[in-house]
């Protein structure tokens, strides 16, 4: 058989490689685009069987396949920018809750635009509820979802966050919250008058108002106000950590679940008061607003506010040498400010965990690859010792992808769980999600449809989905994650380091990747 000339074969191989790279880039683009611009939960037909009395009036939702759904329910009302929302006024008649409410104005994140502002409003204080029963005297565990997108973008209205499947599969009440983000939620004007005392954390004050609403009203939706669990992914996980830190959320929830929810500068720590003050000064200077005319900030267009903020964020990052999470250089993102009051400390303190996190059980983990398969940040060429450590840590994974293991999020997760375990007041349960059906790795957010009990393609993926969602439900109900087919899930401590590896065949490992992390990031690993 006659072979093709070498030059022709080489050209064919190059074309194949380029095609593969193109497919990967398109897939990455679609994933990133969908991360910031996801389809919303569809409106539903209102039903008279879904009328519920709240403290401010009656609302009408919808009912389908045994689950009652309420969308866009107001829990507070923002009358001005940069100040805490106030109580919703009582209404007459029945309020329609059959379609989602407005979401927060969006800010840029990771150097990428938050997108258009369609459907956004400063008065975005609304939530969504799914429940198997209303006014039935049942006291179901309540699972409150905090969406991702850092503290800058995203909403509770994404179709991926539809809580009907999770509510049905676990007989739990699922709630998701919209709240102010980005410059709308975290612009620090506290130096410009008492009115703006909490402006640096006003996005958190929204979430606290929502949790207070839940305490007052959730029994009408079949929920137990004394058994509330917060769960969130990425920025949503960092929000859980922030709420475990602020004294203003004390007593409003019992447990927290953090899914891939921190980097060193967003979750382990938050923005310092100094950097926050400097950032605001730069923004006001660009807008031409002086201290004696601070109220002009209320009338600045969102477009101008965003433009001034983007430039000021970068300059402030460079001044305070805030490392960029996904690239070299410096970057600053919007988020909570450690002001000594609303946020007394960072979540991770020098020798423990934030004082207000005492008594709160924590389920925490990350995904094997996170961003490394999509946006770089991999480990480069590994040594034989590092490759062997990866094989020992993850014996069921392709050793050829050893350099794609994530450290950006995994190391902060280890630091958080280690310090929380040291606090010795509330159990810690750890996991790593390694399932890779897409061949794009266990990427950032890959676990979300499993957590929300959305049907999966294939028997193996469906089984894993049932185990993951039931483990989350079990933790919300009892404080201990468990599911049929999973090994007994032991609590994490700093001696044994028990960690559940969630995959086609899940297993409990002990300190499985400590050696690997020490080799890959010796400086950071030495901190815990």
């Amino acid at each position: 058989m006659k072979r093709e000339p070498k030059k022709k074969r080489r050209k064919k191989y190059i074309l194949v490689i380029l095609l593969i790279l193109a497919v990967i880039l398109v897939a990455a683009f679609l994933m990133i685009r969908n991360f910031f611009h996801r389809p919303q939960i569809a409106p539903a037909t209102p039903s008279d069987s879904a009328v519920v009395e709240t403290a401010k009036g009656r609302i009408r939702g919808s009912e389908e396949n045994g689950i009652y759904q309420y969308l866009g329910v107001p829990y507070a009302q923002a009358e001005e920018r940069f100040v805490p929302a106030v109580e919703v006024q009582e209404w007459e008649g029945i309020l329609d809750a059959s379609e989602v409410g407005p979401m927060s104005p969006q800010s840029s994140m990771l150097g990428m635009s938050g997108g258009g502002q369609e459907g956004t409003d400063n008065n975005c204080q609304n939530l969504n509820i799914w429940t198997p029963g209303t006014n039935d005297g049942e006291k179901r565990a309540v699972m409150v979802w905090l969406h991702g997108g850092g503290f800058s973008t995203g909403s509770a209205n994404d179709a991926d966050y539809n809580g009907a499947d999770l509510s049905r599969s676990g007989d739990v009440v699922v709630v998701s919250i919209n709240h102010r983000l980005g410059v709308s939620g975290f612009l620090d004007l506290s130096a410009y008058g008492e009115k703006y005392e909490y402006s640096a954390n006003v996005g958190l004050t929204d979430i606290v108002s929502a949790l207070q609403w839940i305490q007052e009203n959730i029994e009408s939706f079949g929920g137990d106000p004394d058994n509330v669990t917060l769960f969130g992914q990425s920025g949503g996980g960092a929000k859980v950590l922030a709420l475990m830190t602020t004294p203003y959320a004390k007593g409003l929830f019992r447990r927290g679940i953090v899914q891939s929810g921190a980097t060193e500068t967003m979750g382990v720590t938050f923005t310092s008061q100094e950097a926050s003050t400097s950032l605001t000064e730069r923004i006001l200077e660009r807008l031409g607003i002086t201290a004696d005319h601070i109220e002009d900030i209320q009338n600045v267009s969102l477009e101008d506010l965003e433009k001034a903020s983007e430039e000021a964020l970068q300059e402030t990052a460079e001044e305070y040498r805030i490392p960029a999470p996904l690239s070299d250089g410096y970057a600053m993102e919007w988020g909570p400010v450690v002001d000594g009051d609303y946020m007394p400390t960072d979540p991770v303190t020098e020798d423990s965990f934030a004082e207000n996190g005492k008594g709160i059980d924590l389920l925490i983990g990350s995904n094997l690859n996170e961003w490394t398969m999509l946006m770089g940040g991999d480990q480069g060429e590994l040594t034989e010792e590092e490759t062997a450590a990866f094989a020992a840590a993850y014996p069921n994974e392709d050793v050829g992808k050893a350099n794609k293991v994530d450290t950006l999020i995994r190391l902060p997760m280890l630091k958080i769980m280690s310090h929380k375990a040291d606090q010795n007041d509330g159990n810690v349960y750890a996991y790593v999600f390694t399932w890779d059906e897409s061949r794009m790795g266990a990427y950032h957010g890959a676990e979300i449809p499993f957590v929300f009990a959305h049907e999966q393609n294939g028997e193996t993926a469906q089984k894993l989905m049932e185990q993951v969602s039931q483990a989350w439900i079990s933790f919300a109900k009892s404080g201990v994650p468990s599911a049929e087919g999973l090994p007994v899930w032991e609590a994490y401590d700093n001696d044994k380091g028990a960690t559940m590896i969630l995959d086609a065949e899940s297993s409990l490992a002990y300190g499985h990747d400590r050696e690997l992390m020490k080799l890959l990031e010796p400086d950071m690993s030495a901190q815990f």
Side-chain angles (χ1 to χ4, degrees):
M1 181 177 171
K2 189 177 180 180
R3 299 185 67 188
E4 291 180 323
K6 284 186 178 180
K7 188 173 182 181
K8 191 173 181 180
R9 293 203 310 271
R10 189 181 302 117
K11 186 176 181 181
K12 184 182 291 185
Y13 294 152
I14 291 172
L15 287 173
V16 170
I17 291 170
L18 289 174
L19 179 61
I20 292 171
L21 287 173
V23 170
I24 291 172
L25 287 171
V26 169
F29 169 77
L30 291 174
M31 287 181 184
I32 293 167
R33 186 194 66 179
N34 289 338
F35 184 79
F36 290 103
H37 305 283
R38 291 173 176 151
Q40 293 193 330
I41 299 165
T45 303
S47 171
D48 287 337
S49 67
V51 175
V52 170
E53 185 82 36
T54 73
K56 300 299 182 182
R58 291 185 293 168
I59 63 173
R60 180 189 291 112
S62 59
E63 189 272 332
E64 185 176 358
N65 295 330
I67 296 298
Y68 296 90
Q69 173 181 270
Y70 302 84
L71 304 177
V73 179
Y75 62 80
Q77 181 174 336
E79 298 178 339
E80 287 188 280
R81 285 173 166 177
F82 317 120
V83 295
V86 298
E87 285 191 18
V88 174
Q89 296 296 310
E90 293 185 14
W91 60 82
E92 296 181 359
I94 302 177
L95 185 70
D96 179 73
S98 60
E99 59 182 273
V100 296
M103 62 182 185
S104 170
Q106 306 284 288
S107 289
S108 63
M109 179 187 169
L110 300 175
M112 293 177 279
S113 170
Q117 302 296 341
E118 183 180 355
T120 69
D121 196 311
N122 186 60
N123 185 27
C124 61
Q125 293 72 29
N126 62 82
L127 49 78
N128 307 313
I129 305 171
W130 295 267
T131 179
T134 63
N135 299 307
D136 58 4
E138 295 292 326
K139 287 201 170 185
R140 299 174 178 88
V142 181
M143 300 180 70
V144 179
W145 174 252
L146 302 176
H147 67 78
F151 289 82
S152 299
T153 188
S155 88
N157 302 337
D158 293 347
D160 286 349
Y161 306 153
N162 188 314
D165 293 338
L166 183 62
S167 177
R168 183 182 300 108
S169 67
D171 192 34
V172 292
V173 179
V174 180
V175 183
S176 63
I177 298 172
N178 280 310
H179 59 91
R180 280 172 285 185
L181 300 162
V183 66
S184 300
F186 300 96
L187 176 62
D188 185 2
L189 299 170
S190 59
Y192 301 91
E194 187 177 346
K195 172 181 177 179
Y196 297 112
E197 179 182 8
Y198 295 119
S199 57
N201 291 300
V202 82
L204 290 182
T205 72
D206 284 352
I207 303 176
V208 170
S209 292
L211 295 176
Q212 291 168 337
W213 186 95
I214 289 168
Q215 288 294 309
E216 186 174 14
N217 293 282
I218 207 65
E219 283 192 61
S220 297
F221 297 87
D224 182 358
D226 294 325
N227 191 9
V228 175
T229 295
L230 306 184
F231 69 127
Q233 183 267 346
S234 193
K239 293 165 194 174
V240 175
L241 294 168
L243 291 160
M244 292 175 70
T245 303
T246 176
Y248 293 87
K250 190 72 174 175
L252 298 179
F253 65 102
R254 180 182 291 186
R255 302 182 183 97
I257 303 176
V258 175
Q259 303 167 209
S260 306
T263 62
E264 270 301 304
T265 57
M266 188 60 69
V268 173
T269 61
F270 285 122
T271 304
S272 70
Q273 183 63 71
E274 293 77 14
S276 180
T277 300
S278 180
L279 172 63
T280 300
E281 290 172 351
R282 285 187 166 96
I283 292 172
L284 295 179
E285 182 180 0
R286 278 175 169 76
L287 295 173
I289 297 175
T290 58
D292 54 346
H293 289 88
I294 194 63
E295 286 307 298
D296 291 351
I297 195 74
Q298 294 289 345
N299 301 314
V300 175
S301 73
L302 188 61
E303 181 182 11
D304 288 343
L305 197 56
E306 285 295 332
K307 182 179 179 182
S309 298
E310 288 175 18
E311 296 169 350
L313 281 164
Q314 187 56 44
E315 286 187 7
T316 308
E318 292 170 4
E319 178 188 2
Y320 288 88
R321 297 179 177 273
I322 302 170
L326 293 173
S327 63
D328 294 331
Y330 304 110
M332 184 178 183
E333 306 292 342
W334 289 109
V337 176
V338 182
D339 60 357
D341 177 10
Y342 210 88
M343 288 288 288
T345 67
D346 289 310
V348 172
T349 62
E350 186 174 343
D351 57 357
S352 185
F353 190 85
E355 181 73 15
N356 290 294
K358 284 185 175 179
I360 297 176
D361 297 323
L362 179 64
L363 172 59
I364 180 170
S366 60
N367 297 351
L368 181 62
N369 306 111
E370 298 291 357
W371 294 106
T372 60
M373 301 285 280
L374 302 177
M375 295 182 70
D378 62 31
Q379 307 304 320
E381 187 174 346
L382 299 187
T383 66
E384 288 186 13
E385 186 181 13
E386 290 166 343
T387 302
F390 175 85
Y394 298 103
N396 297 324
E397 299 299 320
D398 179 2
V399 76
K401 295 181 179 179
N403 70 327
K404 299 296 183 181
V405 66
D406 165 73
T407 57
L408 173 70
I409 292 176
R410 175 61 179 158
L411 282 166
M413 294 290 98
L414 280 167
K415 182 180 289 188
I416 292 163
M417 65 182 73
S418 297
H419 283 242
K420 184 68 173 80
D422 277 341
Q423 192 176 50
N424 199 29
D425 197 340
N427 288 326
V428 178
Y429 293 91
Y431 75 87
V432 176
F433 184 87
T434 59
W435 171 254
D436 176 16
E437 184 179 31
S438 66
R439 302 298 175 237
M440 294 298 294
Y443 56 84
H444 194 63
E447 85 289 357
I448 291 174
F450 292 78
V451 168
F452 274 86
H454 297 330
E455 186 175 356
Q456 299 297 303
N457 293 322
E459 183 178 342
T460 303
Q462 182 69 14
K463 183 186 79 169
L464 179 60
M465 176 276 286
E466 291 170 357
Q467 290 176 341
V468 170
S469 59
Q470 288 304 314
W472 265 233
I473 290 164
S474 170
F475 180 76
K477 289 182 175 181
S478 69
V480 179
S482 65
E484 184 178 351
L486 279 184
V488 174
W489 199 326
E490 298 177 22
Y492 180 95
D493 61 42
N494 289 319
D495 292 329
K496 294 170 65 178
T499 302
M500 188 66 72
I501 310 298
L502 295 169
D503 209 327
E505 293 297 330
S506 298
S507 59
L508 189 71
Y510 297 94
H512 72 290
D513 64 347
R514 287 176 176 174
E515 184 61 29
L516 175 63
M517 292 296 118
K518 286 177 183 176
L519 291 170
L520 294 176
E521 299 285 352
D523 291 340
M524 288 188 65
S525 297
Q527 299 178 42
F528 51 89

